[in-house]
Amino acid sequence: MMKFPKDGSAKMYLNSIFSDPVRMERLVDISQTSWLPLLEGLIQFTVPLSIISFIIGLILAVLTALARISTIKILQVIARIYVSIIRGTPLLVQLFILFYGLPSLGVTIDPFPAAVIGFSLNVGAYASEVIRASILSIPKGQWEAADTIGMTYVQSLRRIILPQAARVSVPPLSNTFISLVKDTSLASLILVTEMFRIAQQIAATNYEFLLLYGQAALIYWVVCFLLSVGQGRLENRFDRYVSR
Amino acid sequence: MIRIKNLHKKFGDLEVLKGIDLEVKKGQAVVVIGPSGSGKTTFLRCLNILETPSAGVISIDEQSVDFAKPVPKKKVNAFRKQSAMVFQHYNLFPHMTALENVMEGPVTVQGQDKAAARKKAEQLLAKVGLGDKVNEYPFQLSGGQQQRVGIARALALEPKVMLFDEPTSALDPELVGEVLQVMKDLASEGMTMVVVTHEMRFAKGVADEVLFMDGGHIIERGKPEDIFGHPKEARTQQFLNLIQKTDVI
Ligand SMILES: Nc1ncnc2c1ncn2[C@@H]1O[C@H](COP(=O)(O)OP(=O)(O)OP(=O)(O)O)[C@@H](O)[C@H]1O
Ligand SMILES: [Mg+2]
């Protein structure tokens, strides 16, 4: 249950901040000294974790999509099971299994690599559906035109099909990437000192939770905003060869 | 140049080609006509192994493939290189310019040097009358221009045989002439061609032989003036009456 103070203490709290110069100063102080460590967490862990996981995830996704499309039954089945498991279990549970669970089997993985594995597997499963759909959306005639000029399967994919599928995939894959950036905050729970964990650590020392989490949220938002700007540019680039 | 023996093609239970025999000499242009669903497209696609025939032997030049047993992929690819297909709906690569479309085969498949391939592609595009459109994307070209790029793309591979599947039937009437002209030029340069088309003008002017297909068989074959002038078979007559009436040609 959410509880709102009925006695007007929320208003008093805000009043107390704005009318109390000492408290104001303390908040401004904490805020100023927090930016740097937060951004460090962003640059050192959040960004690399996102980028590395996305790249590995995309490779997994293309392979999984191709396996799903292929006529080889066993590949189809493996791909289906993989996607089903990843989509059917919570990301946080997957991370916990990787980091806290596997040591029981004698497999110990450091926080960062464990997070990379978890997020890559996740992106791989979700993005594979996007990529599968966009490959299937390319007209059959494109495969045939590639065949008739003598291309092999791999050449057709690399030169003809995937470049066109990429254009169709940009909006949904941008979604995947933006979600991933935000999801990396879950890595705080397996001890990766990414941005949100640093926010937690700072807040634990001064109890200014609202301030610190608010600051973290603001940074996530700015990053995601920049990403959606990038998405727009990418779409424009790809659209140069279609009439609008 | 082309020799086909007892070619069969089944789609599941549906037998679309029921034993086609054909011989085409080097430099000949053969036009295939016939009602919708008679198997013309399927026949052409078998020649390029875009469809795998159920049975029969196809030879082009020195190479021969027997479809009685599964054909290895390598052999299919090698065989395919001898012929090139021009599609009814062009099937240009939309993410590449006209020039890139034409260069793609020579560079990616044949491993030619880029500069040389570019020069040749420019010559081919000039030859089909598109010297000033090399850097346009397909969506910036008219249907007739796209189809001419399609022809240049096929020619870039220096095939021994050109296959055309109704290359003008998706075009507005005023654009048909420019494409037919390019094909006419090719024929007069001695290219071996198999053309599915109902363009009577083209068939009469260019074809060395006309085949009438119906129900998966070649019903009648002969010189264009004979087939169009005095067809022997009733079914050919019927078909010709029909297309003359509906003014398809
Ligand atoms: N991939 C396929 N699977 C199943 N049936 C097919 C396939 N391709 C063609 N057919 C069938 O084969 C028959 C011949 O088709 P085809 O396209 O060769 O005819 P066509 O003579 O080219 O006709 P049109 O003049 O309409 O182009 C048709 O009945 C068609 O439905
Ligand atoms: Mg057809």
Side-chain angles (χ1 to χ4, degrees), chain A residues 93-108 190:
Chain A
V93 174
Q94 295 162 15
L95 291 174
F96 271 42
I97 288 177
L98 282 166
F99 186 69
Y100 298 111
L102 288 186
S104 310
L105 297 176
V107 182
T108 313
I190 57 167

PDB file of all heavy atoms in Angstrom, chain A residues 93-108 190:
ATOM      1  N   VAL A  93      16.113 -13.499 -12.429  1.00  0.00           N
ATOM      2  CA  VAL A  93      16.341 -14.881 -12.008  1.00  0.00           C
ATOM      3  C   VAL A  93      17.502 -15.478 -12.807  1.00  0.00           C
ATOM      4  O   VAL A  93      18.356 -16.183 -12.256  1.00  0.00           O
ATOM      5  CB  VAL A  93      15.056 -15.717 -12.187  1.00  0.00           C
ATOM      6  CG1 VAL A  93      15.323 -17.185 -11.892  1.00  0.00           C
ATOM      7  CG2 VAL A  93      13.948 -15.178 -11.292  1.00  0.00           C
ATOM      8  N   GLN A  94      17.554 -15.166 -14.098  1.00  0.00           N
ATOM      9  CA  GLN A  94      18.663 -15.670 -14.926  1.00  0.00           C
ATOM     10  C   GLN A  94      20.001 -15.157 -14.402  1.00  0.00           C
ATOM     11  O   GLN A  94      20.976 -15.907 -14.289  1.00  0.00           O
ATOM     12  CB  GLN A  94      18.489 -15.221 -16.387  1.00  0.00           C
ATOM     13  CG  GLN A  94      17.266 -15.824 -17.067  1.00  0.00           C
ATOM     14  CD  GLN A  94      16.866 -15.044 -18.314  1.00  0.00           C
ATOM     15  OE1 GLN A  94      17.647 -14.238 -18.825  1.00  0.00           O
ATOM     16  NE2 GLN A  94      15.666 -15.293 -18.813  1.00  0.00           N
ATOM     17  N   LEU A  95      20.032 -13.876 -14.059  1.00  0.00           N
ATOM     18  CA  LEU A  95      21.282 -13.299 -13.553  1.00  0.00           C
ATOM     19  C   LEU A  95      21.680 -13.967 -12.240  1.00  0.00           C
ATOM     20  O   LEU A  95      22.848 -14.290 -12.013  1.00  0.00           O
ATOM     21  CB  LEU A  95      21.126 -11.792 -13.346  1.00  0.00           C
ATOM     22  CG  LEU A  95      20.991 -10.949 -14.619  1.00  0.00           C
ATOM     23  CD1 LEU A  95      20.699  -9.493 -14.275  1.00  0.00           C
ATOM     24  CD2 LEU A  95      22.254 -11.036 -15.468  1.00  0.00           C
ATOM     25  N   PHE A  96      20.693 -14.204 -11.385  1.00  0.00           N
ATOM     26  CA  PHE A  96      20.992 -14.834 -10.097  1.00  0.00           C
ATOM     27  C   PHE A  96      21.500 -16.251 -10.290  1.00  0.00           C
ATOM     28  O   PHE A  96      22.412 -16.690  -9.600  1.00  0.00           O
ATOM     29  CB  PHE A  96      19.732 -14.823  -9.199  1.00  0.00           C
ATOM     30  CG  PHE A  96      19.633 -13.577  -8.362  1.00  0.00           C
ATOM     31  CD1 PHE A  96      19.927 -12.341  -8.909  1.00  0.00           C
ATOM     32  CD2 PHE A  96      19.255 -13.640  -7.013  1.00  0.00           C
ATOM     33  CE1 PHE A  96      19.840 -11.185  -8.147  1.00  0.00           C
ATOM     34  CE2 PHE A  96      19.171 -12.492  -6.246  1.00  0.00           C
ATOM     35  CZ  PHE A  96      19.461 -11.266  -6.808  1.00  0.00           C
ATOM     36  N   ILE A  97      20.895 -16.964 -11.234  1.00  0.00           N
ATOM     37  CA  ILE A  97      21.371 -18.334 -11.482  1.00  0.00           C
ATOM     38  C   ILE A  97      22.821 -18.303 -11.934  1.00  0.00           C
ATOM     39  O   ILE A  97      23.659 -19.074 -11.453  1.00  0.00           O
ATOM     40  CB  ILE A  97      20.478 -19.030 -12.534  1.00  0.00           C
ATOM     41  CG1 ILE A  97      19.115 -19.356 -11.918  1.00  0.00           C
ATOM     42  CG2 ILE A  97      21.151 -20.297 -13.066  1.00  0.00           C
ATOM     43  CD1 ILE A  97      18.126 -19.969 -12.873  1.00  0.00           C
ATOM     44  N   LEU A  98      23.123 -17.379 -12.865  1.00  0.00           N
ATOM     45  CA  LEU A  98      24.492 -17.304 -13.380  1.00  0.00           C
ATOM     46  C   LEU A  98      25.495 -16.967 -12.284  1.00  0.00           C
ATOM     47  O   LEU A  98      26.572 -17.544 -12.202  1.00  0.00           O
ATOM     48  CB  LEU A  98      24.581 -16.241 -14.485  1.00  0.00           C
ATOM     49  CG  LEU A  98      24.043 -16.638 -15.850  1.00  0.00           C
ATOM     50  CD1 LEU A  98      23.885 -15.411 -16.738  1.00  0.00           C
ATOM     51  CD2 LEU A  98      24.979 -17.648 -16.502  1.00  0.00           C
ATOM     52  N   PHE A  99      25.114 -16.006 -11.443  1.00  0.00           N
ATOM     53  CA  PHE A  99      26.092 -15.478 -10.489  1.00  0.00           C
ATOM     54  C   PHE A  99      26.079 -16.198  -9.142  1.00  0.00           C
ATOM     55  O   PHE A  99      27.114 -16.552  -8.605  1.00  0.00           O
ATOM     56  CB  PHE A  99      25.861 -13.985 -10.278  1.00  0.00           C
ATOM     57  CG  PHE A  99      26.924 -13.351  -9.426  1.00  0.00           C
ATOM     58  CD1 PHE A  99      28.221 -13.199  -9.898  1.00  0.00           C
ATOM     59  CD2 PHE A  99      26.638 -12.913  -8.135  1.00  0.00           C
ATOM     60  CE1 PHE A  99      29.208 -12.623  -9.111  1.00  0.00           C
ATOM     61  CE2 PHE A  99      27.622 -12.338  -7.341  1.00  0.00           C
ATOM     62  CZ  PHE A  99      28.905 -12.187  -7.840  1.00  0.00           C
ATOM     63  N   TYR A 100      24.875 -16.446  -8.616  1.00  0.00           N
ATOM     64  CA  TYR A 100      24.795 -17.073  -7.287  1.00  0.00           C
ATOM     65  C   TYR A 100      24.550 -18.570  -7.381  1.00  0.00           C
ATOM     66  O   TYR A 100      24.856 -19.308  -6.449  1.00  0.00           O
ATOM     67  CB  TYR A 100      23.667 -16.437  -6.460  1.00  0.00           C
ATOM     68  CG  TYR A 100      23.865 -14.968  -6.183  1.00  0.00           C
ATOM     69  CD1 TYR A 100      23.051 -14.020  -6.766  1.00  0.00           C
ATOM     70  CD2 TYR A 100      24.882 -14.543  -5.317  1.00  0.00           C
ATOM     71  CE1 TYR A 100      23.218 -12.662  -6.513  1.00  0.00           C
ATOM     72  CE2 TYR A 100      25.062 -13.194  -5.066  1.00  0.00           C
ATOM     73  CZ  TYR A 100      24.227 -12.258  -5.664  1.00  0.00           C
ATOM     74  OH  TYR A 100      24.416 -10.937  -5.401  1.00  0.00           O
ATOM     75  N   GLY A 101      23.965 -19.012  -8.497  1.00  0.00           N
ATOM     76  CA  GLY A 101      23.587 -20.422  -8.615  1.00  0.00           C
ATOM     77  C   GLY A 101      24.712 -21.318  -9.095  1.00  0.00           C
ATOM     78  O   GLY A 101      24.981 -22.376  -8.513  1.00  0.00           O
ATOM     79  N   LEU A 102      25.376 -20.888 -10.167  1.00  0.00           N
ATOM     80  CA  LEU A 102      26.375 -21.765 -10.780  1.00  0.00           C
ATOM     81  C   LEU A 102      27.536 -22.140  -9.863  1.00  0.00           C
ATOM     82  O   LEU A 102      28.078 -23.239 -10.013  1.00  0.00           O
ATOM     83  CB  LEU A 102      26.912 -21.127 -12.080  1.00  0.00           C
ATOM     84  CG  LEU A 102      25.924 -21.126 -13.250  1.00  0.00           C
ATOM     85  CD1 LEU A 102      26.590 -20.619 -14.518  1.00  0.00           C
ATOM     86  CD2 LEU A 102      25.330 -22.508 -13.473  1.00  0.00           C
ATOM     87  N   PRO A 103      27.932 -21.288  -8.906  1.00  0.00           N
ATOM     88  CA  PRO A 103      29.015 -21.707  -8.014  1.00  0.00           C
ATOM     89  C   PRO A 103      28.741 -23.041  -7.340  1.00  0.00           C
ATOM     90  O   PRO A 103      29.676 -23.793  -7.050  1.00  0.00           O
ATOM     91  CB  PRO A 103      29.087 -20.560  -6.998  1.00  0.00           C
ATOM     92  CG  PRO A 103      28.671 -19.366  -7.781  1.00  0.00           C
ATOM     93  CD  PRO A 103      27.602 -19.867  -8.706  1.00  0.00           C
ATOM     94  N   SER A 104      27.454 -23.382  -7.117  1.00  0.00           N
ATOM     95  CA  SER A 104      27.135 -24.681  -6.531  1.00  0.00           C
ATOM     96  C   SER A 104      27.638 -25.815  -7.408  1.00  0.00           C
ATOM     97  O   SER A 104      27.873 -26.914  -6.948  1.00  0.00           O
ATOM     98  CB  SER A 104      25.611 -24.842  -6.364  1.00  0.00           C
ATOM     99  OG  SER A 104      25.094 -23.716  -5.720  1.00  0.00           O
ATOM    100  N   LEU A 105      27.736 -25.558  -8.695  1.00  0.00           N
ATOM    101  CA  LEU A 105      28.263 -26.577  -9.613  1.00  0.00           C
ATOM    102  C   LEU A 105      29.763 -26.409  -9.801  1.00  0.00           C
ATOM    103  O   LEU A 105      30.374 -27.048 -10.656  1.00  0.00           O
ATOM    104  CB  LEU A 105      27.588 -26.458 -10.983  1.00  0.00           C
ATOM    105  CG  LEU A 105      26.083 -26.699 -11.042  1.00  0.00           C
ATOM    106  CD1 LEU A 105      25.559 -26.454 -12.443  1.00  0.00           C
ATOM    107  CD2 LEU A 105      25.759 -28.120 -10.596  1.00  0.00           C
ATOM    108  N   GLY A 106      30.335 -25.507  -9.012  1.00  0.00           N
ATOM    109  CA  GLY A 106      31.768 -25.280  -9.118  1.00  0.00           C
ATOM    110  C   GLY A 106      32.132 -24.289 -10.209  1.00  0.00           C
ATOM    111  O   GLY A 106      33.301 -24.107 -10.528  1.00  0.00           O
ATOM    112  N   VAL A 107      31.123 -23.644 -10.797  1.00  0.00           N
ATOM    113  CA  VAL A 107      31.394 -22.658 -11.842  1.00  0.00           C
ATOM    114  C   VAL A 107      31.236 -21.265 -11.255  1.00  0.00           C
ATOM    115  O   VAL A 107      30.126 -20.863 -10.906  1.00  0.00           O
ATOM    116  CB  VAL A 107      30.422 -22.816 -13.029  1.00  0.00           C
ATOM    117  CG1 VAL A 107      30.758 -21.801 -14.125  1.00  0.00           C
ATOM    118  CG2 VAL A 107      30.473 -24.232 -13.569  1.00  0.00           C
ATOM    119  N   THR A 108      32.344 -20.568 -11.100  1.00  0.00           N
ATOM    120  CA  THR A 108      32.251 -19.231 -10.529  1.00  0.00           C
ATOM    121  C   THR A 108      32.575 -18.203 -11.603  1.00  0.00           C
ATOM    122  O   THR A 108      33.594 -18.304 -12.284  1.00  0.00           O
ATOM    123  CB  THR A 108      33.237 -19.071  -9.363  1.00  0.00           C
ATOM    124  OG1 THR A 108      33.107 -20.217  -8.525  1.00  0.00           O
ATOM    125  CG2 THR A 108      32.939 -17.799  -8.584  1.00  0.00           C
ATOM    126  N   ILE A 190      23.874  -8.232  -8.817  1.00  0.00           N
ATOM    127  CA  ILE A 190      24.936  -9.248  -8.806  1.00  0.00           C
ATOM    128  C   ILE A 190      26.296  -8.539  -8.703  1.00  0.00           C
ATOM    129  O   ILE A 190      27.294  -8.994  -9.239  1.00  0.00           O
ATOM    130  CB  ILE A 190      24.872 -10.208 -10.012  1.00  0.00           C
ATOM    131  CG1 ILE A 190      24.946  -9.450 -11.329  1.00  0.00           C
ATOM    132  CG2 ILE A 190      23.614 -11.057  -9.970  1.00  0.00           C
ATOM    133  CD1 ILE A 190      25.195 -10.371 -12.529  1.00  0.00           C
TER     134      ILE A 190
END
